[in-house]
Amino acid sequence: MNVYDAERMADMLFPIGYQVVNTPDEADLVILNTCHIREKAAEKVYSDLGRLRKMKAMRSTNPLIVAVAGCVAQAEGREVFRRAPHVDMVFGPQSYHRLPEMVARVHRQKGPVLDTDFPPESKFDFLPAPKAYGRSAAYLTVQEGCDKFCTFCVVPYTRGAEFSRSVTSVIADAGNLIAGGVREVILLGQNVNAYHGEAPDGEANHTEWGLGRLINQLAEIDGLDRIRYTTSYPAEVDEELILAHRDVPELMPFLHLPVQSGSDRILSSMNRRHNKGQYIELVGRLRAARPDIALSSDFIVGFPGETDRDFRETIDLVEEIGFVGAYSFKYSARRGTPAAALPAQVEEAVKTERLQILQNYLNAAQTAFNRKCVGTDMPVLLERRGRHPGQLVGRSPFMQAVHATAPSHMLGEIISLRIDSAHPNSLAGRVVDYNSEVSPA
Ligand code: SAH
């Protein structure tokens, strides 16, 4: 979502004369769009700010404006100015539609600008229509924020309460992207499947639509060939969404469904609102609806109180489900969250060891899945040029990166590739038929 937000910031600044450049040296304004989810991500901001301080000090004719945006800005507010006095602007993820005004204030008052209130208005009502920028796959935020309050997580405090955009505004944005050449839309939300957007006018019976219904409607748009959504919260997967996986061919057979742990004791202490059995049952229903669906997940190791036995249950779950990919993290205590105050914090060395073990299992499963694809033909949306001349890179239905030597006119097309080899994080293939596109999945 930070990628999406950063682009929307650029869209907001374009009308007042800014354009995106490649390096900070060329910039008049540098915005660090930050993540607060774990300590490591948050601390990185201050080391980047250190580098920008030197750069700013060396500028004479063209002064540099330095801004900190996103969730670190939201969480730390004024503290950012204290630790980094050369910062000119600090603003949170819900107020960046006010950027032109903030920039004007920096120029006017020659002093720092802070904007971390949650505004009463929605930023989406102020953002210009999104552009395709030559891409064939694009992000589209439909939901933001979180009301779940997992005990480890800062998101409810930094992104705010759950909010869903109206169906009409989502369809309009999708239409714009598709008109610009986008073929695949990735719907975004911190809990994207908690989506409950205002229904279009004239819907007497349903005042709100869920994600499943939204996906059905989006699939009707001509030219939209692929739909994905991320990130989902297991306890919010409803029947309509499961049926969308069965009935909507445009909906790709890949789902990122964070489970965090395989231990019921830990899941309960995390306030996850699902246990291991419910998660397994849910995966069963998804697989019944779409037998080839591939799943990935998020895991936290070393949550306070996690014993060897709890950890073993996580490994057991990984073995049982057969995830094709995952993000796994050491638990990071975040100030202000309930879990940070729990007494039984796990030692760093234990977390490191568990993470290593877990990642060995997950990597092996991912490699095995990639190997299984060798010899098959896969429809791949070729999205960009690769590092080598003549090479294009795209995504399989299962979100794998696939490289192939292909003529550049195939950029933006869904091409059948014969998979020749598998690597831990990607596949390599060759064009099967030079004459035609194939169906999306
Ligand atoms: N809304 C999704 C997850 C989005 S947050 C859900 O509820 O499942 C992205 C991921 O960051 C989480 O799934 C979790 O694995 C990780 N994460 C969040 N807070 C963390 C923390 N304090 N320490 C370590 N990992 C964390």
PDB file of all heavy atoms in Angstrom, residues 37-38 146 148 150 152-155 189-191 231-234 256-260 272 298-300 327 329-334 337, ligand 1:
ATOM      1  N   ILE A  37       5.556  -1.037  10.959  1.00  0.00           N
ATOM      2  CA  ILE A  37       5.043  -2.338  11.387  1.00  0.00           C
ATOM      3  C   ILE A  37       6.033  -3.051  12.306  1.00  0.00           C
ATOM      4  O   ILE A  37       5.632  -3.665  13.282  1.00  0.00           O
ATOM      5  CB  ILE A  37       4.633  -3.206  10.164  1.00  0.00           C
ATOM      6  CG1 ILE A  37       3.727  -4.357  10.590  1.00  0.00           C
ATOM      7  CG2 ILE A  37       5.825  -3.754   9.392  1.00  0.00           C
ATOM      8  CD1 ILE A  37       2.289  -4.028  10.595  1.00  0.00           C
ATOM      9  N   ARG A  38       7.329  -2.958  11.983  1.00  0.00           N
ATOM     10  CA  ARG A  38       8.350  -3.544  12.854  1.00  0.00           C
ATOM     11  C   ARG A  38       9.420  -2.502  13.134  1.00  0.00           C
ATOM     12  O   ARG A  38       9.629  -1.588  12.350  1.00  0.00           O
ATOM     13  CB  ARG A  38       8.958  -4.790  12.193  1.00  0.00           C
ATOM     14  CG  ARG A  38       8.075  -6.014  12.397  1.00  0.00           C
ATOM     15  CD  ARG A  38       8.436  -7.153  11.482  1.00  0.00           C
ATOM     16  NE  ARG A  38       7.983  -6.840  10.139  1.00  0.00           N
ATOM     17  CZ  ARG A  38       8.748  -6.902   9.059  1.00  0.00           C
ATOM     18  NH1 ARG A  38       9.993  -7.261   9.151  1.00  0.00           N
ATOM     19  NH2 ARG A  38       8.244  -6.600   7.880  1.00  0.00           N
ATOM     20  N   CYS A 146      -7.838  -0.778  10.273  1.00  0.00           N
ATOM     21  CA  CYS A 146      -8.099  -2.055  10.917  1.00  0.00           C
ATOM     22  C   CYS A 146      -8.774  -1.860  12.268  1.00  0.00           C
ATOM     23  O   CYS A 146      -8.397  -0.988  13.040  1.00  0.00           O
ATOM     24  CB  CYS A 146      -6.768  -2.786  11.110  1.00  0.00           C
ATOM     25  SG  CYS A 146      -6.993  -4.455  11.720  1.00  0.00           S
ATOM     26  N   LYS A 148      -9.255  -4.751  14.167  1.00  0.00           N
ATOM     27  CA  LYS A 148      -9.121  -6.070  14.747  1.00  0.00           C
ATOM     28  C   LYS A 148      -8.272  -6.076  16.023  1.00  0.00           C
ATOM     29  O   LYS A 148      -8.442  -6.927  16.870  1.00  0.00           O
ATOM     30  CB  LYS A 148      -8.502  -7.042  13.719  1.00  0.00           C
ATOM     31  CG  LYS A 148      -9.282  -7.117  12.408  1.00  0.00           C
ATOM     32  CD  LYS A 148     -10.672  -7.713  12.611  1.00  0.00           C
ATOM     33  CE  LYS A 148     -11.432  -7.880  11.305  1.00  0.00           C
ATOM     34  NZ  LYS A 148     -12.063  -6.632  10.816  1.00  0.00           N
ATOM     35  N   CYS A 150      -5.079  -6.943  16.785  1.00  0.00           N
ATOM     36  CA  CYS A 150      -4.159  -8.014  17.163  1.00  0.00           C
ATOM     37  C   CYS A 150      -3.192  -7.400  18.175  1.00  0.00           C
ATOM     38  O   CYS A 150      -2.766  -6.244  18.012  1.00  0.00           O
ATOM     39  CB  CYS A 150      -3.385  -8.503  15.932  1.00  0.00           C
ATOM     40  SG  CYS A 150      -4.453  -9.299  14.717  1.00  0.00           S
ATOM     41  N   PHE A 152      -0.161  -7.643  18.760  1.00  0.00           N
ATOM     42  CA  PHE A 152       1.203  -7.293  18.343  1.00  0.00           C
ATOM     43  C   PHE A 152       1.262  -6.074  17.443  1.00  0.00           C
ATOM     44  O   PHE A 152       2.328  -5.563  17.150  1.00  0.00           O
ATOM     45  CB  PHE A 152       1.867  -8.477  17.610  1.00  0.00           C
ATOM     46  CG  PHE A 152       1.036  -9.027  16.458  1.00  0.00           C
ATOM     47  CD1 PHE A 152       1.036  -8.409  15.225  1.00  0.00           C
ATOM     48  CD2 PHE A 152       0.258 -10.181  16.631  1.00  0.00           C
ATOM     49  CE1 PHE A 152       0.271  -8.910  14.175  1.00  0.00           C
ATOM     50  CE2 PHE A 152      -0.501 -10.690  15.585  1.00  0.00           C
ATOM     51  CZ  PHE A 152      -0.499 -10.044  14.354  1.00  0.00           C
ATOM     52  N   CYS A 153       0.134  -5.599  16.970  1.00  0.00           N
ATOM     53  CA  CYS A 153       0.118  -4.796  15.742  1.00  0.00           C
ATOM     54  C   CYS A 153      -0.211  -3.316  15.952  1.00  0.00           C
ATOM     55  O   CYS A 153      -1.113  -2.959  16.707  1.00  0.00           O
ATOM     56  CB  CYS A 153      -0.890  -5.411  14.768  1.00  0.00           C
ATOM     57  SG  CYS A 153      -0.766  -4.721  13.118  1.00  0.00           S
ATOM     58  N   VAL A 154       0.522  -2.454  15.223  1.00  0.00           N
ATOM     59  CA  VAL A 154       0.326  -1.010  15.329  1.00  0.00           C
ATOM     60  C   VAL A 154      -0.711  -0.457  14.341  1.00  0.00           C
ATOM     61  O   VAL A 154      -1.104   0.708  14.459  1.00  0.00           O
ATOM     62  CB  VAL A 154       1.644  -0.242  15.060  1.00  0.00           C
ATOM     63  CG1 VAL A 154       2.660  -0.495  16.161  1.00  0.00           C
ATOM     64  CG2 VAL A 154       2.229  -0.600  13.695  1.00  0.00           C
ATOM     65  N   VAL A 155      -1.119  -1.289  13.374  1.00  0.00           N
ATOM     66  CA  VAL A 155      -1.926  -0.750  12.272  1.00  0.00           C
ATOM     67  C   VAL A 155      -3.196   0.001  12.712  1.00  0.00           C
ATOM     68  O   VAL A 155      -3.479   1.076  12.189  1.00  0.00           O
ATOM     69  CB  VAL A 155      -2.242  -1.857  11.230  1.00  0.00           C
ATOM     70  CG1 VAL A 155      -3.320  -1.417  10.258  1.00  0.00           C
ATOM     71  CG2 VAL A 155      -0.978  -2.217  10.463  1.00  0.00           C
ATOM     72  N   GLY A 189      -5.936  -3.469   0.770  1.00  0.00           N
ATOM     73  CA  GLY A 189      -6.486  -3.025   2.043  1.00  0.00           C
ATOM     74  C   GLY A 189      -5.721  -3.693   3.161  1.00  0.00           C
ATOM     75  O   GLY A 189      -5.172  -4.779   2.967  1.00  0.00           O
ATOM     76  N   GLN A 190      -5.639  -3.060   4.322  1.00  0.00           N
ATOM     77  CA  GLN A 190      -4.977  -3.722   5.453  1.00  0.00           C
ATOM     78  C   GLN A 190      -5.753  -4.981   5.831  1.00  0.00           C
ATOM     79  O   GLN A 190      -5.181  -5.965   6.287  1.00  0.00           O
ATOM     80  CB  GLN A 190      -4.888  -2.787   6.671  1.00  0.00           C
ATOM     81  CG  GLN A 190      -3.634  -1.968   6.704  1.00  0.00           C
ATOM     82  CD  GLN A 190      -3.737  -0.778   5.772  1.00  0.00           C
ATOM     83  OE1 GLN A 190      -4.794  -0.170   5.683  1.00  0.00           O
ATOM     84  NE2 GLN A 190      -2.671  -0.452   5.089  1.00  0.00           N
ATOM     85  N   ASN A 191      -7.071  -4.892   5.687  1.00  0.00           N
ATOM     86  CA  ASN A 191      -7.952  -6.059   5.816  1.00  0.00           C
ATOM     87  C   ASN A 191      -8.867  -6.000   4.616  1.00  0.00           C
ATOM     88  O   ASN A 191     -10.037  -5.669   4.738  1.00  0.00           O
ATOM     89  CB  ASN A 191      -8.811  -5.973   7.074  1.00  0.00           C
ATOM     90  CG  ASN A 191      -8.042  -6.370   8.298  1.00  0.00           C
ATOM     91  OD1 ASN A 191      -7.327  -7.358   8.292  1.00  0.00           O
ATOM     92  ND2 ASN A 191      -8.195  -5.603   9.342  1.00  0.00           N
ATOM     93  N   THR A 231      -4.299  -7.408   1.726  1.00  0.00           N
ATOM     94  CA  THR A 231      -4.100  -8.631   2.461  1.00  0.00           C
ATOM     95  C   THR A 231      -5.392  -9.013   3.180  1.00  0.00           C
ATOM     96  O   THR A 231      -6.085  -8.141   3.691  1.00  0.00           O
ATOM     97  CB  THR A 231      -2.997  -8.426   3.521  1.00  0.00           C
ATOM     98  OG1 THR A 231      -1.781  -8.109   2.880  1.00  0.00           O
ATOM     99  CG2 THR A 231      -2.765  -9.669   4.332  1.00  0.00           C
ATOM    100  N   SER A 232      -5.640 -10.284   3.258  1.00  0.00           N
ATOM    101  CA  SER A 232      -6.891 -10.744   3.843  1.00  0.00           C
ATOM    102  C   SER A 232      -6.725 -11.147   5.294  1.00  0.00           C
ATOM    103  O   SER A 232      -5.662 -11.599   5.702  1.00  0.00           O
ATOM    104  CB  SER A 232      -7.384 -11.984   3.125  1.00  0.00           C
ATOM    105  OG  SER A 232      -7.492 -11.712   1.784  1.00  0.00           O
ATOM    106  N   TYR A 233      -7.809 -11.039   6.010  1.00  0.00           N
ATOM    107  CA  TYR A 233      -7.850 -11.461   7.403  1.00  0.00           C
ATOM    108  C   TYR A 233      -8.721 -12.718   7.457  1.00  0.00           C
ATOM    109  O   TYR A 233      -9.874 -12.686   7.017  1.00  0.00           O
ATOM    110  CB  TYR A 233      -8.462 -10.327   8.227  1.00  0.00           C
ATOM    111  CG  TYR A 233      -8.551 -10.576   9.700  1.00  0.00           C
ATOM    112  CD1 TYR A 233      -7.397 -10.540  10.493  1.00  0.00           C
ATOM    113  CD2 TYR A 233      -9.767 -10.833  10.310  1.00  0.00           C
ATOM    114  CE1 TYR A 233      -7.485 -10.751  11.861  1.00  0.00           C
ATOM    115  CE2 TYR A 233      -9.851 -11.046  11.676  1.00  0.00           C
ATOM    116  CZ  TYR A 233      -8.703 -11.000  12.440  1.00  0.00           C
ATOM    117  OH  TYR A 233      -8.776 -11.203  13.795  1.00  0.00           O
ATOM    118  N   PRO A 234      -8.188 -13.844   7.948  1.00  0.00           N
ATOM    119  CA  PRO A 234      -8.909 -15.120   7.815  1.00  0.00           C
ATOM    120  C   PRO A 234     -10.357 -15.076   8.337  1.00  0.00           C
ATOM    121  O   PRO A 234     -11.256 -15.620   7.686  1.00  0.00           O
ATOM    122  CB  PRO A 234      -8.058 -16.097   8.642  1.00  0.00           C
ATOM    123  CG  PRO A 234      -6.689 -15.518   8.628  1.00  0.00           C
ATOM    124  CD  PRO A 234      -6.848 -14.023   8.568  1.00  0.00           C
ATOM    125  N   HIS A 256      -3.066 -14.683  -0.485  1.00  0.00           N
ATOM    126  CA  HIS A 256      -2.194 -14.448   0.663  1.00  0.00           C
ATOM    127  C   HIS A 256      -3.089 -14.342   1.903  1.00  0.00           C
ATOM    128  O   HIS A 256      -3.881 -13.414   2.014  1.00  0.00           O
ATOM    129  CB  HIS A 256      -1.409 -13.152   0.453  1.00  0.00           C
ATOM    130  CG  HIS A 256      -0.428 -12.886   1.544  1.00  0.00           C
ATOM    131  ND1 HIS A 256       0.691 -13.664   1.738  1.00  0.00           N
ATOM    132  CD2 HIS A 256      -0.407 -11.948   2.512  1.00  0.00           C
ATOM    133  CE1 HIS A 256       1.368 -13.202   2.788  1.00  0.00           C
ATOM    134  NE2 HIS A 256       0.719 -12.165   3.276  1.00  0.00           N
ATOM    135  N   LEU A 257      -2.963 -15.331   2.769  1.00  0.00           N
ATOM    136  CA  LEU A 257      -3.893 -15.419   3.901  1.00  0.00           C
ATOM    137  C   LEU A 257      -3.092 -15.600   5.201  1.00  0.00           C
ATOM    138  O   LEU A 257      -2.790 -16.726   5.611  1.00  0.00           O
ATOM    139  CB  LEU A 257      -4.828 -16.608   3.661  1.00  0.00           C
ATOM    140  CG  LEU A 257      -6.080 -16.719   4.517  1.00  0.00           C
ATOM    141  CD1 LEU A 257      -6.991 -15.514   4.336  1.00  0.00           C
ATOM    142  CD2 LEU A 257      -6.863 -17.998   4.173  1.00  0.00           C
ATOM    143  N   PRO A 258      -2.752 -14.482   5.854  1.00  0.00           N
ATOM    144  CA  PRO A 258      -1.863 -14.558   7.020  1.00  0.00           C
ATOM    145  C   PRO A 258      -2.462 -15.363   8.160  1.00  0.00           C
ATOM    146  O   PRO A 258      -3.622 -15.168   8.517  1.00  0.00           O
ATOM    147  CB  PRO A 258      -1.700 -13.089   7.449  1.00  0.00           C
ATOM    148  CG  PRO A 258      -1.992 -12.304   6.219  1.00  0.00           C
ATOM    149  CD  PRO A 258      -3.057 -13.091   5.500  1.00  0.00           C
ATOM    150  N   VAL A 259      -1.653 -16.284   8.701  1.00  0.00           N
ATOM    151  CA  VAL A 259      -2.127 -17.082   9.840  1.00  0.00           C
ATOM    152  C   VAL A 259      -1.376 -16.729  11.120  1.00  0.00           C
ATOM    153  O   VAL A 259      -1.895 -16.864  12.199  1.00  0.00           O
ATOM    154  CB  VAL A 259      -2.055 -18.591   9.520  1.00  0.00           C
ATOM    155  CG1 VAL A 259      -0.630 -19.063   9.325  1.00  0.00           C
ATOM    156  CG2 VAL A 259      -2.757 -19.422  10.581  1.00  0.00           C
ATOM    157  N   GLN A 260      -0.147 -16.311  10.983  1.00  0.00           N
ATOM    158  CA  GLN A 260       0.739 -15.852  12.083  1.00  0.00           C
ATOM    159  C   GLN A 260       1.327 -16.977  12.930  1.00  0.00           C
ATOM    160  O   GLN A 260       2.500 -16.955  13.272  1.00  0.00           O
ATOM    161  CB  GLN A 260       0.069 -14.818  13.014  1.00  0.00           C
ATOM    162  CG  GLN A 260      -0.731 -13.723  12.340  1.00  0.00           C
ATOM    163  CD  GLN A 260       0.066 -12.819  11.411  1.00  0.00           C
ATOM    164  OE1 GLN A 260       1.280 -12.963  11.264  1.00  0.00           O
ATOM    165  NE2 GLN A 260      -0.614 -11.932  10.705  1.00  0.00           N
ATOM    166  N   ARG A 272      -6.305 -13.167  17.554  1.00  0.00           N
ATOM    167  CA  ARG A 272      -6.500 -13.332  16.116  1.00  0.00           C
ATOM    168  C   ARG A 272      -7.946 -13.664  15.719  1.00  0.00           C
ATOM    169  O   ARG A 272      -8.282 -13.651  14.541  1.00  0.00           O
ATOM    170  CB  ARG A 272      -5.584 -14.438  15.591  1.00  0.00           C
ATOM    171  CG  ARG A 272      -4.158 -14.000  15.417  1.00  0.00           C
ATOM    172  CD  ARG A 272      -4.006 -12.936  14.377  1.00  0.00           C
ATOM    173  NE  ARG A 272      -4.135 -13.421  13.009  1.00  0.00           N
ATOM    174  CZ  ARG A 272      -4.032 -12.629  11.952  1.00  0.00           C
ATOM    175  NH1 ARG A 272      -3.845 -11.337  12.075  1.00  0.00           N
ATOM    176  NH2 ARG A 272      -4.148 -13.129  10.745  1.00  0.00           N
ATOM    177  N   ASP A 298       1.595 -15.079   6.272  1.00  0.00           N
ATOM    178  CA  ASP A 298       2.536 -14.366   7.140  1.00  0.00           C
ATOM    179  C   ASP A 298       2.676 -15.147   8.436  1.00  0.00           C
ATOM    180  O   ASP A 298       1.683 -15.713   8.928  1.00  0.00           O
ATOM    181  CB  ASP A 298       2.011 -12.972   7.527  1.00  0.00           C
ATOM    182  CG  ASP A 298       2.015 -11.984   6.388  1.00  0.00           C
ATOM    183  OD1 ASP A 298       2.656 -12.235   5.361  1.00  0.00           O
ATOM    184  OD2 ASP A 298       1.351 -10.934   6.544  1.00  0.00           O
ATOM    185  N   PHE A 299       3.898 -15.133   8.977  1.00  0.00           N
ATOM    186  CA  PHE A 299       4.157 -15.795  10.260  1.00  0.00           C
ATOM    187  C   PHE A 299       4.953 -14.878  11.174  1.00  0.00           C
ATOM    188  O   PHE A 299       5.831 -14.147  10.707  1.00  0.00           O
ATOM    189  CB  PHE A 299       4.969 -17.078  10.053  1.00  0.00           C
ATOM    190  CG  PHE A 299       4.250 -18.117   9.267  1.00  0.00           C
ATOM    191  CD1 PHE A 299       4.352 -18.163   7.884  1.00  0.00           C
ATOM    192  CD2 PHE A 299       3.434 -19.042   9.906  1.00  0.00           C
ATOM    193  CE1 PHE A 299       3.664 -19.111   7.146  1.00  0.00           C
ATOM    194  CE2 PHE A 299       2.752 -20.005   9.175  1.00  0.00           C
ATOM    195  CZ  PHE A 299       2.867 -20.037   7.795  1.00  0.00           C
ATOM    196  N   ILE A 300       4.652 -14.951  12.440  1.00  0.00           N
ATOM    197  CA  ILE A 300       5.466 -14.276  13.456  1.00  0.00           C
ATOM    198  C   ILE A 300       6.036 -15.354  14.365  1.00  0.00           C
ATOM    199  O   ILE A 300       5.277 -16.173  14.897  1.00  0.00           O
ATOM    200  CB  ILE A 300       4.618 -13.294  14.289  1.00  0.00           C
ATOM    201  CG1 ILE A 300       4.096 -12.155  13.409  1.00  0.00           C
ATOM    202  CG2 ILE A 300       5.441 -12.736  15.452  1.00  0.00           C
ATOM    203  CD1 ILE A 300       3.155 -11.195  14.116  1.00  0.00           C
ATOM    204  N   TYR A 327       5.785 -14.654   4.053  1.00  0.00           N
ATOM    205  CA  TYR A 327       6.623 -13.678   4.733  1.00  0.00           C
ATOM    206  C   TYR A 327       6.683 -14.119   6.181  1.00  0.00           C
ATOM    207  O   TYR A 327       5.638 -14.389   6.786  1.00  0.00           O
ATOM    208  CB  TYR A 327       6.026 -12.282   4.661  1.00  0.00           C
ATOM    209  CG  TYR A 327       5.874 -11.767   3.247  1.00  0.00           C
ATOM    210  CD1 TYR A 327       4.617 -11.632   2.680  1.00  0.00           C
ATOM    211  CD2 TYR A 327       6.989 -11.422   2.490  1.00  0.00           C
ATOM    212  CE1 TYR A 327       4.466 -11.154   1.379  1.00  0.00           C
ATOM    213  CE2 TYR A 327       6.843 -10.954   1.189  1.00  0.00           C
ATOM    214  CZ  TYR A 327       5.580 -10.816   0.645  1.00  0.00           C
ATOM    215  OH  TYR A 327       5.441 -10.351  -0.636  1.00  0.00           O
ATOM    216  N   PHE A 329       8.492 -13.306  10.087  1.00  0.00           N
ATOM    217  CA  PHE A 329       9.142 -12.247  10.845  1.00  0.00           C
ATOM    218  C   PHE A 329       9.406 -12.682  12.274  1.00  0.00           C
ATOM    219  O   PHE A 329       8.631 -13.449  12.852  1.00  0.00           O
ATOM    220  CB  PHE A 329       8.232 -11.002  10.927  1.00  0.00           C
ATOM    221  CG  PHE A 329       7.607 -10.608   9.628  1.00  0.00           C
ATOM    222  CD1 PHE A 329       6.290 -10.962   9.341  1.00  0.00           C
ATOM    223  CD2 PHE A 329       8.329  -9.890   8.697  1.00  0.00           C
ATOM    224  CE1 PHE A 329       5.701 -10.582   8.133  1.00  0.00           C
ATOM    225  CE2 PHE A 329       7.752  -9.514   7.497  1.00  0.00           C
ATOM    226  CZ  PHE A 329       6.442  -9.857   7.214  1.00  0.00           C
ATOM    227  N   LYS A 330      10.473 -12.108  12.863  1.00  0.00           N
ATOM    228  CA  LYS A 330      10.631 -12.225  14.309  1.00  0.00           C
ATOM    229  C   LYS A 330       9.663 -11.235  14.939  1.00  0.00           C
ATOM    230  O   LYS A 330       9.515 -10.104  14.441  1.00  0.00           O
ATOM    231  CB  LYS A 330      12.049 -11.815  14.713  1.00  0.00           C
ATOM    232  CG  LYS A 330      13.116 -12.762  14.264  1.00  0.00           C
ATOM    233  CD  LYS A 330      14.422 -12.376  14.931  1.00  0.00           C
ATOM    234  CE  LYS A 330      15.469 -12.104  13.882  1.00  0.00           C
ATOM    235  NZ  LYS A 330      16.794 -11.815  14.434  1.00  0.00           N
ATOM    236  N   TYR A 331       9.042 -11.647  16.025  1.00  0.00           N
ATOM    237  CA  TYR A 331       8.165 -10.725  16.725  1.00  0.00           C
ATOM    238  C   TYR A 331       8.950  -9.470  17.112  1.00  0.00           C
ATOM    239  O   TYR A 331      10.062  -9.546  17.636  1.00  0.00           O
ATOM    240  CB  TYR A 331       7.589 -11.386  17.988  1.00  0.00           C
ATOM    241  CG  TYR A 331       6.908 -10.373  18.893  1.00  0.00           C
ATOM    242  CD1 TYR A 331       5.710  -9.795  18.518  1.00  0.00           C
ATOM    243  CD2 TYR A 331       7.514  -9.969  20.084  1.00  0.00           C
ATOM    244  CE1 TYR A 331       5.111  -8.827  19.314  1.00  0.00           C
ATOM    245  CE2 TYR A 331       6.916  -9.018  20.889  1.00  0.00           C
ATOM    246  CZ  TYR A 331       5.725  -8.438  20.494  1.00  0.00           C
ATOM    247  OH  TYR A 331       5.147  -7.480  21.279  1.00  0.00           O
ATOM    248  N   SER A 332       8.373  -8.322  16.849  1.00  0.00           N
ATOM    249  CA  SER A 332       9.000  -7.043  17.166  1.00  0.00           C
ATOM    250  C   SER A 332       8.070  -6.300  18.113  1.00  0.00           C
ATOM    251  O   SER A 332       6.917  -6.012  17.767  1.00  0.00           O
ATOM    252  CB  SER A 332       9.194  -6.280  15.844  1.00  0.00           C
ATOM    253  OG  SER A 332       9.578  -4.952  16.062  1.00  0.00           O
ATOM    254  N   ALA A 333       8.541  -6.053  19.329  1.00  0.00           N
ATOM    255  CA  ALA A 333       7.685  -5.387  20.328  1.00  0.00           C
ATOM    256  C   ALA A 333       7.462  -3.941  19.920  1.00  0.00           C
ATOM    257  O   ALA A 333       8.415  -3.195  19.710  1.00  0.00           O
ATOM    258  CB  ALA A 333       8.346  -5.468  21.699  1.00  0.00           C
ATOM    259  N   ARG A 334       6.213  -3.552  19.765  1.00  0.00           N
ATOM    260  CA  ARG A 334       5.895  -2.191  19.339  1.00  0.00           C
ATOM    261  C   ARG A 334       5.256  -1.434  20.481  1.00  0.00           C
ATOM    262  O   ARG A 334       4.238  -1.889  21.054  1.00  0.00           O
ATOM    263  CB  ARG A 334       4.951  -2.208  18.126  1.00  0.00           C
ATOM    264  CG  ARG A 334       5.416  -3.068  16.975  1.00  0.00           C
ATOM    265  CD  ARG A 334       6.824  -2.761  16.480  1.00  0.00           C
ATOM    266  NE  ARG A 334       6.908  -1.570  15.668  1.00  0.00           N
ATOM    267  CZ  ARG A 334       7.751  -0.553  15.924  1.00  0.00           C
ATOM    268  NH1 ARG A 334       8.552  -0.589  16.973  1.00  0.00           N
ATOM    269  NH2 ARG A 334       7.794   0.501  15.134  1.00  0.00           N
ATOM    270  N   THR A 337       1.381  -1.322  22.039  1.00  0.00           N
ATOM    271  CA  THR A 337       0.557  -2.503  21.758  1.00  0.00           C
ATOM    272  C   THR A 337       0.551  -3.415  22.988  1.00  0.00           C
ATOM    273  O   THR A 337       1.547  -3.484  23.705  1.00  0.00           O
ATOM    274  CB  THR A 337       1.110  -3.283  20.545  1.00  0.00           C
ATOM    275  OG1 THR A 337       2.438  -3.712  20.839  1.00  0.00           O
ATOM    276  CG2 THR A 337       1.107  -2.439  19.286  1.00  0.00           C
TER     277      THR A 337
HETATM  278  N1  SAH B   1      -4.114  -7.601   8.169  1.00  0.00           N
HETATM  279  C1  SAH B   1      -3.328  -8.774   8.001  1.00  0.00           C
HETATM  280  C2  SAH B   1      -1.814  -8.526   8.163  1.00  0.00           C
HETATM  281  C3  SAH B   1      -1.179  -7.236   7.718  1.00  0.00           C
HETATM  282  S1  SAH B   1       0.271  -6.676   8.617  1.00  0.00           S
HETATM  283  C4  SAH B   1      -3.736  -9.778   9.069  1.00  0.00           C
HETATM  284  O1  SAH B   1      -4.291  -9.372  10.058  1.00  0.00           O
HETATM  285  O2  SAH B   1      -3.483 -10.958   8.936  1.00  0.00           O
HETATM  286  C5  SAH B   1       1.552  -7.484   7.801  1.00  0.00           C
HETATM  287  C6  SAH B   1       2.280  -8.522   8.588  1.00  0.00           C
HETATM  288  O3  SAH B   1       3.289  -7.938   9.406  1.00  0.00           O
HETATM  289  C7  SAH B   1       1.425  -9.302   9.565  1.00  0.00           C
HETATM  290  O4  SAH B   1       0.710 -10.301   8.938  1.00  0.00           O
HETATM  291  C8  SAH B   1       2.441  -9.836  10.550  1.00  0.00           C
HETATM  292  O5  SAH B   1       2.899 -11.111  10.190  1.00  0.00           O
HETATM  293  C9  SAH B   1       3.568  -8.802  10.482  1.00  0.00           C
HETATM  294  N2  SAH B   1       3.608  -8.038  11.740  1.00  0.00           N
HETATM  295  C10 SAH B   1       2.712  -7.133  12.175  1.00  0.00           C
HETATM  296  N3  SAH B   1       3.084  -6.668  13.388  1.00  0.00           N
HETATM  297  C11 SAH B   1       4.228  -7.301  13.723  1.00  0.00           C
HETATM  298  C12 SAH B   1       5.094  -7.250  14.848  1.00  0.00           C
HETATM  299  N4  SAH B   1       4.834  -6.470  15.891  1.00  0.00           N
HETATM  300  N5  SAH B   1       6.192  -8.049  14.847  1.00  0.00           N
HETATM  301  C13 SAH B   1       6.464  -8.859  13.796  1.00  0.00           C
HETATM  302  N6  SAH B   1       5.685  -8.944  12.711  1.00  0.00           N
HETATM  303  C14 SAH B   1       4.586  -8.175  12.659  1.00  0.00           C
END
